[in-house]
Amino acid sequence: MNILLLGSGGRESAFAWKISQSELCSKLIIAPGNGGTAAYGKNVVLNPNNFEAVKALVLKENIELVVVGPEEPLVNGIHDFFTADEALSQIPVIGPKKEGAILEGSKDFSKQFMARHNIPTPGSRSFTNETLEQGLAYLENHSLPIVLKADGLAAGKGVLICETVADAQEELKLMLGGKFGQAGALVVIEEYLTGIELSVFVLTDGDNYVILPEAKDYKKIGMGDSGLNTGGMGSVSPVPFADEKFLKEVEQSIIIPTINGLKKDNIDYTGFIFFGLFKVGDKPMIIEYNCRMGDPETESVIPRIENDIVELFLAVSQKKLKDYNLKISKKNAATVMIVAGGYPGEYEKGKSISGIDNVRQSIVFHAGTALEGGIVKTNGGRVIAVTSLQDGQFEALQSATADAARIYFDGKYFREDIGFDLM
Ligand code: AMP
Ligand code: GLY
């Protein structure tokens, strides 16, 4: 079967690695891919948001299955584009249509969805420019800190946590004034949760679902979770504080009501749902949905899946997940992300990367890299994810960290403490 994978990050490297191991895969194209994905298939330069270009590629390469990595094409309606096109309508797409992707594309929509289906989430209200005065008044009596969220996609930067009412009022004005462009034309003001975060993932065919391994992502740039937020500096799976009882509770109070809610709302959803959760005391609460897998969570989740992933994707597209027997490795995965100096602020690209061959006990998933004349160079902020899968969590953390130290480029940085707080 000929498969097209859209995207270019560490998440897509992990997907490509796994898809290329499938006996069902005869050809894998990654568009646009990165400096590492060419090892698993063929890279084709293309913007996944250019649907006509995707169509041309699909027809040229006789693609029979499309897997969408990032959220943007989904929120922009790539799945709908396929369904509506005579030449493409029979080709399965892993990833929801617009009406499902809006769970990530609009925080206001997702909060209303959670409220409508009694899914536990912090209290919130939404405001626009027309209701700015009410918003400012609402903030006057709000508990501290205050969470402000731009409604739309803001490249991971649309969430602000304000320590004072005055700050929150100032930020509300700035956001509604265009600080995040159209994404901030509607702002969700949300109660702040105190607890510990984790990510839970399901893959659904619209009727049934499988729960994938959970993961914990480390978002801050600095050791000990300090400094600026990033796209993610590392991840672990499984998550020790998410025991069986807690995960059952997640399924009962969050996953099942979400799947049933989609059905009640007539949203036909095929693809991944990423639940951004907090463990508050011993109860789960949801702070966000994403319509895709997480990055760098995928790099820890995928190596723990023992099934043929193409077979799993086909079960999704044929609505046959009901009796699917998902096999999850008991091993522990740890991922350490190596980033460019300066990231998440300004950073340089084009640095030669060495030492990848010295990695001993880990899988190297390229993220922001490019191949230039046979040399792997940096091409983004998050450059390489190093994932180790070991019997024990400590060994996994240790070997991923040790292997991250074996890779070198000018300005490289990684957190040496990923996951050790959980031990
Ligand atoms: P997001 O962009 O929605 O992933 O949010 C970015 C980060 O903001 C999350 O990973 C949390 O650490 C934090 N955050 C979002 N909502 C809340 C909340 N209600 N309470 C506390 N922290 C939050
Ligand atoms: N690692 C968080 C995300 O992918 O949104």
Side-chain angles (χ1 to χ4, degrees):
M1 148 162 267
N2 301 333
I3 301 171
L4 171 64
L5 169 65
L6 295 175
S8 62
R11 168 183 50 213
E12 286 75 24
S13 287
F15 275 139
W17 173 81
K18 185 74 177 162
I19 292 170
S20 71
Q21 294 167 26
S22 167
E23 287 187 1
L24 298 169
C25 176
S26 38
K27 174 161 78 176
L28 173 62
I29 306 238
I30 311 102
N34 60 41
T37 51
Y40 313 119
K42 182 168 94 172
N43 284 353
V44 172
V45 180
L46 161 156
N47 174 358
N49 291 305
N50 181 346
F51 299 164
E52 289 295 342
V54 174
K55 175 179 175 180
L57 178 66
V58 163
L59 296 179
K60 176 167 173 251
E61 299 283 357
N62 292 316
I63 295 297
E64 297 162 279
L65 172 72
V66 180
V67 182
V68 185
E71 64 278 14
E72 230 192 312
L74 294 168
V75 173
N76 291 343
I78 192 165
H79 194 156
D80 311 67
F81 177 86
F82 270 68
T83 307
D85 189 294
E86 214 175 303
L88 305 178
S89 63
Q90 299 307 314
I91 300 171
V93 176
I94 302 298
K97 299 199 183 97
K98 234 176 177 172
E99 58 176 15
I102 195 175
L103 280 180
E104 174 164 4
S106 166
K107 296 227 190 277
D108 180 58
F109 178 92
S110 69
K111 294 296 290 192
Q112 291 186 33
F113 179 92
M114 293 164 196
R116 187 159 64 240
H117 301 295
N118 290 316
I119 300 169
T121 185
S124 73
R125 280 196 45 194
S126 302
F127 298 93
T128 64
N129 244 329
E130 277 77 66
T131 54
L132 172 63
E133 290 307 320
Q134 283 114 291
L136 296 174
Y138 176 74
L139 286 170
E140 288 289 345
N141 300 312
H142 202 287
S143 57
L144 295 174
I146 303 170
V147 185
L148 299 185
K149 298 185 172 181
D151 176 59
L153 296 184
K157 297 192 171 71
V159 176
L160 299 174
I161 295 173
C162 301
E163 301 295 336
T164 67
V165 168
D167 271 358
Q169 289 177 325
E170 187 54 32
E171 285 297 348
L172 179 65
K173 285 188 223 161
L174 291 172
M175 285 169 88
L176 292 175
K179 178 173 180 171
F180 298 113
Q182 223 7 68
L186 184 65
V187 174
V188 178
I189 300 176
E190 190 175 69
E191 282 168 21
Y192 181 85
L193 289 181
T194 309
I196 183 158
E197 264 183 279
L198 76 156
S199 310
V200 169
F201 308 94
V202 309
L203 187 55
T204 179
D205 59 13
D207 288 326
N208 294 288
Y209 59 89
V210 288
I211 304 180
L212 306 176
E214 77 286 356
K216 175 156 182 59
D217 166 25
Y218 288 78
K219 287 206 164 81
K220 301 279 186 193
I221 186 74
M223 302 273 272
D225 274 328
S226 59
L228 295 175
N229 256 330
T230 70
M233 295 296 292
S235 63
V236 300
S237 178
V239 178
F241 61 82
D243 55 23
E244 207 173 305
K245 181 162 174 275
F246 176 77
L247 290 173
K248 264 277 155 257
E249 177 77 26
V250 170
E251 183 171 16
Q252 289 303 327
S253 70
I254 295 176
I255 297 176
I256 292 175
T258 299
I259 301 289
N260 289 341
L262 289 168
K263 281 191 236 174
K264 279 186 203 150
D265 293 354
N266 281 319
I267 297 174
D268 177 29
Y269 196 113
T270 42
F272 293 99
I273 310 177
F274 167 156
F275 301 84
L277 305 181
F278 262 75
K279 184 179 185 188
V280 182
D282 53 12
K283 293 279 178 221
M285 290 191 97
I286 176 163
I287 56 163
E288 66 172 349
Y289 291 111
N290 294 309
C291 61
R292 53 170 172 88
M293 286 295 289
D295 192 355
E297 289 99 327
T298 307
E299 292 91 311
S300 287
V301 168
I302 289 284
R304 294 191 58 218
I305 297 177
E306 292 178 339
N307 308 66
D308 179 326
I309 200 161
V310 177
E311 181 195 87
L312 176 58
F313 288 152
L314 290 178
V316 171
S317 67
Q318 294 161 2
K319 288 201 183 284
K320 285 187 181 156
L321 271 188
K322 191 170 188 314
D323 299 314
Y324 196 84
N325 181 16
L326 190 70
K327 293 186 221 100
I328 303 298
S329 162
K330 292 237 179 316
K331 288 191 179 185
N332 288 262
T335 298
V336 173
M337 189 62 88
I338 310 176
V339 304
Y343 174 83
E346 280 186 26
Y347 55 85
E348 290 179 31
K349 295 181 183 176
K351 309 283 186 194
S352 296
I353 303 172
S354 59
I356 291 177
D357 293 340
N358 297 336
V359 165
R360 293 180 195 164
Q361 301 179 73
S362 306
I363 316 162
V364 173
F365 292 126
H366 289 233
T369 72
L371 262 181
E372 276 176 40
I375 298 171
V376 183
K377 297 200 171 167
T378 69
N379 189 39
R382 293 194 292 167
V383 177
I384 281 181
V386 178
T387 298
S388 196
L389 187 68
Q390 305 291 339
D391 288 334
Q393 191 177 41
F394 185 70
E395 297 158 79
L397 296 170
Q398 244 187 350
S399 47
T401 309
D403 277 330
R406 296 188 168 100
I407 295 175
Y408 180 78
F409 56 87
D410 185 24
K412 87 171 248 210
Y413 168 76
F414 66 94
R415 273 181 62 171
E416 292 168 37
D417 65 337
I418 297 297
F420 286 104
D421 58 312
L422 302 172
M423 302 298 306

